Amino acid sequence: MWKLARLVAASNFRRARPFSTAIPLPCIVHKRGADILHDPWFNKDTGFPLTERDRLGLRGLLPPRVISFQQQYARFMESYRSLERNTMGQPEGVVSLAKWRILNRLHDRNETLYYRVLIDNIKDFAPVIYTPTVGLVCQNYSGLFRRPRGMYFSAKDKGEMMSMIYNWPAHQVDMIVITDGSRILGLGDLGVQGIGIPIGKLDMYVAAAGINPQRVLPIMLDVGTNNKKLLEDPLYLGLRQPRLEGAEYLAIVDEFMEAVHTRWPKAIVQFEDFQAKWAFETLERYRGRFCMFNDDVQGTAGVALAGLLGTVRAQGRPLSDFSNQKIVVVGAGSAGLGVLKMAVQAVSRMSGNNETSAKKQFFVLDKDGLITKARKNLDPAAAPFAKELADVEGLREGSSLIEVVKTLKPHVLLGLSGVGGIFNEEVLKAMRGSDSPRPAIFAMSNPTMNAECTAADAFKHAGDNIVFASGSPFENVDLGNGRVGHVNQANNMYLFPGYGLLFTDVSAMRMLEILEVYNF
Ligand SMILES: NC(=O)C1=CN([C@@H]2O[C@H](COP(=O)(O)OP(=O)(O)OC[C@H]3O[C@@H](n4cnc5c(N)ncnc54)[C@H](O)[C@@H]3O)[C@@H](O)[C@H]2O)C=CC1
Ligand SMILES: CC(=O)C(=O)O
Ligand SMILES: [Mg+2]
């Protein structure tokens, strides 16, 4: 997958920002002197040739020696490798943050070099700029903050957003990722510190999809936080107030959406890591009016479905066999319900059955166990997937995960619960009794510590023949005798190259029409 993503990125990125000149061809620089050196979009550090130094008023502002782009690249990679050597044996969190810092400093200084090293080393660097390290970065963002990136719209900016949006320096923006910080990965409400997620996601768009980095915009919509620790932290950088709710909340999001689409009517707004109630409500509220989608609901569904179909193929079965798989989804939030909706649609289309009958093979649990129609206060979003008690013989409302696995013997166990380790030894061992000769275990929650199980535990307890995928990366597992337990990554970022191609080749509206056609 990375190979394909790199090919896409390399071809598109070179078109947008040629490797050899380090500044995008169509770009006219209106700045001079130190302003250029302090602008990561234009800065080439010591790479400015003498002619440019004269033309741009840089003579004397840099050491005399001109260092080529290739030499700068090699020097950065050497510093990175030396950091790896020098931090060997130190705690994982310390090492990850040190790696993030060195990459972030480059991002802040010289974007061309940053994206070049990122594209060329995407497999090594994705876990640093994205999950799992981005989770740690968000948890510590107020302390790590040095230079602003993206835009911040807060509840205090009500009435000002239409003018604020024109403060963004780029004339054109194609892709926006916005969060309100209310459910950052499986880490909960991180308030303004959640900005790390839009930044990391957009880095993946540039590196894996070849989107022009000058045309992306990370956004934090700060409506307060209910995280007590952050509210009490004197260095917390966000609004120190409880989250807005109800109409007050929606008024802020409405104003932002109007402002952004007034300035850039074709920009696509990706909603990311909103708590489930707002994820669903904003999706319904805006999808008919604006170019937008929800990555956790829709992007995750696309990747999970690809993984589920891939599993059928890995079992040596025809794809039509997908309609016979028993699938247990653990987690009935924005991601779990998004996956269920799309998977049910896929089954009903493949089998020619209606959705009611396609739903029969899907089972969903939340923190209160198996969801059935007998549940009191059944969440309306989960209601379409709640089972009739008559259809789950041997089970009851609220049956535990282990009861469900032992009774149903599912072909697939898919976790989007945010609860680390919930696929424990007992549950994994019970998957040995699966009706499938090659059961699938997808531990999709992020970051790593929130994964439902580790890859090593999955192969150890559920057996060598499983198909395993996780939201955050794990190393392949050594099964002995030269055999390898392959770890696949099931993360919505794998859709970004696809979106990227759509953005470059079709207009945003056309893309949304395509998504609508597929009822995505
Ligand atoms: N791999 C990927 O591409 C993606 C992974 N995720 C991950 O999925 C997780 C959940 O995300 P959302 O659905 O947005 O969160 P959410 O907060 O909307 O939903 C979490 C769900 O898990 C349930 N849950 C909590 N404890 C449980 C337990 N002990 N047993 C069973 N269910 C339990 C909750 O009741 C709720 O239904 C997060 O860790 C997130 O990082 C989310 C989107 C994409
Ligand atoms: C991957 C992702 O979007 C999440 O964990 O929320
Ligand atoms: Mg997300």
Side-chain angles (χ1 to χ4, degrees), residues 174-376:
D174 296 332
M175 188 68 216
I176 289 170
V177 178
I178 182 172
T179 187
D180 68 355
S182 56
R183 191 288 277 148
I184 294 298
L185 307 178
L187 303 170
D189 181 351
L190 294 183
V192 82
Q193 305 193 155
I195 182 72
I197 289 290
I199 294 172
K201 292 264 176 189
L202 285 166
D203 273 355
M204 298 308 293
Y205 269 99
V206 174
I211 296 281
N212 185 338
Q214 291 192 13
R215 290 177 166 221
V216 302
L217 174 53
I219 301 259
M220 159 50 62
L221 201 61
D222 183 0
V223 295
T225 178
N226 295 337
N227 183 324
K228 202 162 167 282
K229 199 168 148 219
L230 293 180
L231 288 172
E232 286 167 1
D233 178 355
L235 294 182
Y236 175 60
L237 292 172
L239 286 189
R240 294 173 81 180
Q241 65 174 50
R243 280 189 175 276
L244 294 186
E245 286 296 340
E248 278 187 310
Y249 173 88
L250 284 173
I252 297 291
V253 196
D254 282 351
E255 186 178 331
F256 167 78
M257 291 298 275
E258 290 291 348
V260 85
H261 285 101
T262 300
R263 181 162 184 203
W264 301 295
K266 291 184 176 174
I268 296 175
V269 181
Q270 169 172 329
F271 278 58
E272 190 68 53
D273 289 8
F274 283 67
Q275 56 185 309
K277 66 174 178 181
W278 292 129
F280 293 127
E281 174 137 5
T282 50
L283 183 56
E284 285 320 306
R285 192 175 179 87
Y286 302 123
R287 67 185 301 171
R289 281 171 62 205
F290 299 115
C291 305
M292 61 82 65
F293 70 99
N294 185 296
D295 188 39
D296 299 293
V297 179
Q298 297 163 292
T300 313
V303 162
L305 181 60
L308 292 170
L309 293 172
T311 299
V312 177
R313 203 171 272 174
Q315 290 166 343
R317 311 283 307 165
L319 280 188
S320 55
D321 203 45
F322 183 49
S323 30
N324 301 320
Q325 305 254 314
K326 262 177 289 172
I327 297 171
V328 170
V329 175
V330 185
S334 59
L337 294 179
V339 169
L340 276 166
K341 186 171 178 223
M342 188 181 281
V344 166
Q345 281 170 0
V347 171
S348 66
R349 273 180 206 165
M350 286 168 91
S351 59
N353 291 334
N354 61 28
E355 289 201 0
T356 313
S357 105
K359 274 178 197 155
K360 285 202 185 316
Q361 69 191 75
F362 293 92
F363 304 81
V364 59
L365 290 84
D366 69 358
K367 63 179 175 9
D368 299 318
L370 181 69
I371 302 181
T372 70
K373 298 241 188 286
R375 178 165 298 194
K376 292 195 182 91

